[in-house]
Amino acid sequence: MRGRLLADELRLLEAKAAMDSDSLLAEEKRRLRELRTLVAERDGVETTLQAERGRINAECEELRLTLEVLAGERAADAQRYTQARAAADVRLSATVAEHEATVSSLESQLRRNAEERQRALANMEAESRSFELAILRKEAELASMRGDLHATRQAELRTRLLAGVSAVKHGRKGAPHRRHVRCSRDLQRLEWSKAGEAASSSVGAHEVLEIHTRGPAKRLGFFAPLASLPESLNRLAATGGGEGAGGGGYFASLRTSTRSVDLEFGSAEERDSWAAAWAEWRALLAAIAPLPGGASPSPG
């Protein structure tokens, strides 16, 4: 009995083992198919990747060649730019030098023209004064011929005042300088300048309050204010003179309310003659228009 049970149990085990073996075989076959499918897919992917890698490599090579071409073109462009820049710098330097030379030439020409114009004006002024003096001399001659002594004296005075005198002028500062001192054409102002040049400074006839004289002495040498004018004249004997400018130590000062015009002459006669002429000039103008403050002309 027991033997039959064991035999039945053995058969059941064998049947079960056979079934398990079939199931395992089917499972192995399924796995084998899946493996083959995966291998096929892997091979396809590898093939695709290789093709893509080849395409990318080809594109990289093409890009590399393009970059080499661009680098060559860039180097050529840089060289051309450098050459063009150097040529432009050369042209610019030449243009600047040419313009500078032109500007310098124009400035020199302008200076020469200004100097020539100044000389021409000075010559015209001198010629005009010469003509006026000639006319005045003729007027003086005519007045003398008519026997009009007063008119003759005025004409002579006007001629002399317009002709002026060369004297050493002592300015506010610096060394004394020789100046041509004369009256303006309308006789309203006393003006002075370098010989042959137009007047550079002047004082009005009605600005002159007094005319002082002093000398022989050695130097005045400055413009004296109204309060200190006598002291300035008293210093003449104690200070240096205008010998370097050709002065003789004989001074005349035309005093205004704010300054004095200090002139040095070569002799007392010349100084006194011109001081008297200027005093007469002031008196002549005072008869036409009163002096400021009712002052009367004084030769000092």
Side-chain angles (χ1 to χ4, degrees):
M1 185 69 178
R2 183 177 180 157
R4 278 199 300 275
L5 290 174
L6 290 172
D8 291 338
E9 188 176 354
L10 180 61
R11 282 194 298 275
L12 288 173
L13 290 172
E14 288 177 352
K16 186 177 181 180
M19 290 177 63
D20 291 339
S21 176
D22 292 339
S23 178
L24 288 172
L25 182 60
E27 182 66 22
E28 287 294 331
K29 289 180 179 181
R30 186 184 63 78
R31 289 182 178 179
L32 182 60
R33 285 195 300 274
E34 289 179 356
L35 182 59
R36 287 175 178 170
T37 300
L38 290 174
V39 169
E41 290 178 356
R42 183 202 66 187
D43 293 341
V45 169
E46 286 184 353
T47 301
T48 301
L49 289 175
Q50 288 178 356
E52 187 67 20
R53 185 183 295 112
R55 185 184 64 78
I56 291 173
N57 289 337
E59 289 181 356
C60 288
E61 182 65 19
E62 184 178 355
L63 288 174
R64 186 184 65 80
L65 295 175
T66 302
L67 288 174
E68 289 180 354
V69 172
L70 291 176
E73 292 178 352
R74 181 179 179 182
D77 290 341
Q79 184 177 5
R80 286 194 297 271
Y81 171 78
T82 301
Q83 294 174 349
R85 178 64 181 272
D89 288 342
V90 171
R91 290 195 300 272
L92 180 60
S93 299
T95 302
V96 169
E98 182 180 355
H99 287 175
E100 288 178 348
T102 302
V103 169
S104 177
S105 176
L106 290 175
E107 290 177 346
S108 300
Q109 184 64 36
L110 288 174
R111 285 194 297 271
R112 288 194 297 271
N113 291 342
E115 293 172 356
E116 292 175 359
R117 185 163 54 252
Q118 185 66 27
R119 286 194 296 270
L121 289 175
N123 292 335
M124 291 174 62
E125 179 73 15
E127 291 178 1
S128 177
R129 284 187 172 276
S130 176
F131 290 146
E132 288 185 359
L133 292 174
I135 293 173
L136 290 172
R137 291 190 186 97
K138 291 298 182 181
E139 290 178 353
E141 292 175 2
L142 290 175
S144 178
M145 292 174 64
R146 289 196 304 266
D148 190 347
L149 298 179
H150 181 68
T152 300
R153 175 58 185 164
Q154 286 191 353
E156 290 176 351
L157 176 63
R158 184 179 182 189
T159 300
R160 187 180 186 193
L161 292 173
L162 288 174
V165 62
S166 176
V168 176
K169 183 179 179 299
H170 294 264
R172 288 187 177 91
K173 52 187 176 179
H177 298 285
R178 182 162 292 278
R179 291 291 182 264
H180 182 204
V181 185
R182 62 201 182 266
C183 284
S184 60
R185 293 181 182 179
D186 58 4
L187 298 180
Q188 294 298 316
R189 302 188 70 80
L190 183 69
E191 57 189 26
W192 55 89
S193 67
K194 293 181 180 180
E197 294 187 1
S200 57
S201 301
S202 65
V203 294
H206 292 81
E207 297 177 38
V208 180
L209 301 178
E210 293 179 304
I211 301 175
H212 292 270
T213 60
R214 181 64 186 266
K218 293 185 177 180
R219 179 175 172 81
L220 181 60
F222 59 93
F223 280 137
L226 177 60
S228 62
L229 181 61
E231 288 79 5
S232 69
L233 288 174
N234 290 331
R235 292 176 186 172
L236 291 174
T239 56
E243 291 86 352
Y250 295 87
F251 290 85
S253 284
L254 287 79
R255 183 172 64 84
T256 72
S257 61
T258 57
R259 63 185 290 183
S260 67
V261 181
D262 304 320
L263 303 172
E264 183 177 2
F265 296 85
S267 66
E269 291 78 11
E270 184 182 29
R271 178 204 59 196
D272 295 342
S273 173
W274 279 101
W278 289 326
E280 190 175 353
W281 162 58
R282 293 179 63 245
L284 177 64
L285 293 181
I288 301 173
L291 294 175
S296 60
S298 169

